[in-house]
Amino acid sequence: MADLVEGTRAVARGDFSPRLTEPPDEELKELVRAFLFMSRSLKEQTDALSREKERLATLLAQLTAGVVAYGDDGAVLLANPAAASLGRGRVDGASLEEVFPGEDMARLREALTRGTHGEAVELEPRAGERWRLVTVPLPLGGAGARMAVIEDVSDLVRSNRLAAWAEMARIIAHEIKNPLTPIRLSVEHLREVWKRGSPDFDRVLDDCVQNVLRQTDTLRHSAAEFSDYARLPRPEMRPLEIGDLFDEVASAYARAPGVRFAVDAPAGLRVLGDTRLLSRLLSNLVGNSVEALRSGGAIRLAARRRGRRVEIAVEDDGPGVAPEILPRLFDPYFSAKSGGTGLGLAIAKKIVEEHGGDIAAENRVPSGLSVRFDLPAADEARGS
């Protein structure tokens, strides 16, 4: 019995091969055999776990994607070298702050803490870099534990942007060519009338000049939209009362014939954003709604607090858009209107993304369109 006790202590110390002699007593002999069988099984399982751990460590070390496991409190359970390299932090860091240090990683740390399980989120932590982040629950890590995979997709994004700029160049050429054709035709017609000495020359001159001016305005509008999309400034963030922005844009379109405005925003509800860019964003959305309401109708501007974000809606009771168009509504160069550059809503999307939010559109029942986006709440952003 003393040998069995000593063997148990040896197993507890990690020695899974204790030397025990079988006693003459049959009952004790069976007990010793069962104990030795158990210790051999423990050794096999421990060796298997050790091999699996080594394989996992080797795999994580070779991955180009960053992998980090952590708890709700930000304590890191595991981080691979790629994660530390992306964050320029410590691979043995005990917290997200140590693996992903610095102000430029603040949005990543917030996304990790807030992460929606299984949904990909894209971030731009540093100028010229684009990361894709996916978080999943980690059942074996304890309550609230999760694992995140972070991938640097900058090269892919750059490649896509080059293709996008090539397509934009094609669209620009097309948009310039469209007004140039009627301008040329007007000038040629004016020259022919002048050569003939027609008595209608004054009237033709006035018509042609008006047409040239209209087409010149079209060119100026197209050039301004392309320029704005290409050089949208970085937002200068400060607390803003969303109700003031609503009142401003509603006042600007108040004289639109047959259009009624409804503003629904709690007093004192503030967001963190750039006044000029957010005014432009709302003007783009409201302008589209006004164009859709050719026979008049209502436009509703609403804002509601949702945790650390403010959800904003711009809704109208117009005809809406075709369902097949909805997924492409915010794509650059795509326009549901004839004669449009397709950049108005793309600019709106870019402004929302610069404020760390998402934007989406859906048709309303029985008719109309609803565009929703979110912005950071001023008090939450200030305290983060």
Side-chain angles (χ1 to χ4, degrees):
M1 183 60 74
D3 289 345
L4 188 58
V5 171
E6 183 56 36
T8 303
R9 290 173 177 165
V11 170
R13 292 194 300 267
D15 178 6
F16 297 105
S17 301
R19 295 183 180 181
L20 297 178
T21 56
E22 293 185 0
D25 185 280
E26 285 299 324
E27 290 186 0
L28 287 177
K29 185 184 294 184
E30 286 300 319
L31 182 59
V32 168
R33 286 174 180 173
F35 176 80
L36 291 173
F37 177 78
M38 179 198 69
S39 64
R40 284 194 299 270
S41 297
L42 284 173
K43 185 177 188 312
E44 290 171 1
Q45 293 176 29
T46 302
D47 290 345
L49 285 172
S50 180
R51 289 191 299 271
E52 193 63 33
K53 182 180 178 181
E54 289 175 3
R55 280 197 294 268
L56 180 60
T58 301
L59 174 64
L60 290 176
Q62 298 301 317
L63 282 179
T64 56
V67 178
V68 58
Y70 57 99
D72 276 345
D73 58 356
V76 169
L77 309 173
L78 172 149
N80 73 337
S85 177
L86 284 170
R88 298 175 185 171
R90 293 168 44 197
V91 70
D92 61 344
S95 66
L96 291 175
E97 288 269 3
E98 294 179 354
V99 180
F100 304 104
E103 186 60 31
D104 57 352
M105 292 290 108
R107 285 186 63 189
L108 173 65
R109 294 194 300 270
E110 180 184 354
L112 287 170
T113 304
R114 191 184 66 198
T116 304
H117 296 325
E119 292 186 10
V121 176
E122 290 200 356
L123 301 168
E124 193 169 335
R126 292 184 284 260
E129 294 185 19
R130 195 77 173 177
W131 295 0
R132 184 172 295 143
L133 163 71
V134 177
T135 60
V136 294
L138 193 62
L140 300 180
R146 66 191 80 172
M147 182 176 72
V149 177
I150 308 163
E151 186 180 10
D152 187 344
V153 294
S154 303
D155 291 340
L156 176 62
V157 171
R158 275 192 285 270
S159 175
N160 290 342
R161 282 176 178 168
L162 286 175
W165 280 114
E167 176 67 7
M168 181 174 281
R170 185 186 69 78
I171 297 296
I172 291 174
H174 179 73
E175 290 296 325
I176 291 175
K177 180 181 177 182
N178 280 347
L180 286 179
T181 300
I183 288 175
R184 180 182 178 85
L185 291 174
S186 293
V187 173
E188 288 177 348
H189 178 57
L190 183 62
R191 183 175 62 182
E192 288 300 320
V193 172
W194 177 74
K195 282 183 177 180
R196 292 198 310 265
S198 172
D200 290 334
F201 178 77
D202 288 346
R203 179 185 61 78
V204 173
L205 174 62
D206 185 62
D207 290 345
C208 288
V209 168
Q210 290 299 323
N211 190 32
V212 169
L213 290 175
R214 280 196 302 271
Q215 300 304 327
T216 302
D217 284 341
T218 299
L219 278 173
R220 185 183 298 111
H221 174 71
S222 296
E225 281 209 324
F226 285 118
S227 177
D228 287 345
Y229 185 74
R231 296 183 299 163
L232 199 66
R234 299 289 292 185
E236 297 179 4
M237 310 291 271
R238 67 182 186 86
L240 307 167
E241 187 155 343
I242 194 65
D244 292 344
L245 292 176
F246 283 174
D247 291 341
E248 177 186 317
V249 71
S251 175
Y253 286 91
R255 291 179 177 82
V259 175
R260 305 180 306 278
F261 280 91
V263 174
D264 180 11
L269 180 59
R270 300 193 306 166
V271 299
L272 194 73
D274 184 298
T275 307
R276 187 167 61 89
L277 292 180
L278 293 183
S279 293
R280 172 106 189 250
L281 162 65
L282 290 169
S283 292
N284 278 356
L285 298 179
V286 171
N288 277 358
S289 291
V290 168
E291 289 185 20
L293 297 172
R294 298 185 183 277
S295 302
I299 297 175
R300 176 174 175 264
L301 305 173
R304 285 290 179 272
R305 180 70 176 262
R306 294 284 185 269
R308 293 179 290 181
R309 311 288 292 180
V310 174
E311 183 183 88
I312 296 169
V314 178
E315 300 175 337
D316 62 61
D317 55 7
V321 299
E324 62 271 17
I325 289 177
L326 274 175
R328 301 185 58 196
L329 208 54
F330 297 98
D331 289 354
Y333 349 113
F334 178 78
S335 177
K337 302 175 292 185
S338 60
T341 61
L343 287 177
L345 289 178
I347 290 172
K349 180 181 180 182
K350 194 170 183 181
I351 291 173
V352 171
E353 289 177 342
E354 288 290 341
H355 287 75
D358 296 308
I359 188 169
E362 62 180 2
N363 282 318
R364 302 177 65 204
V365 177
S367 68
L369 186 71
S370 174
V371 177
R372 295 178 180 273
F373 59 94
D374 65 290
L375 299 170
D379 55 338
E380 290 289 345
R382 190 170 60 246
S384 62

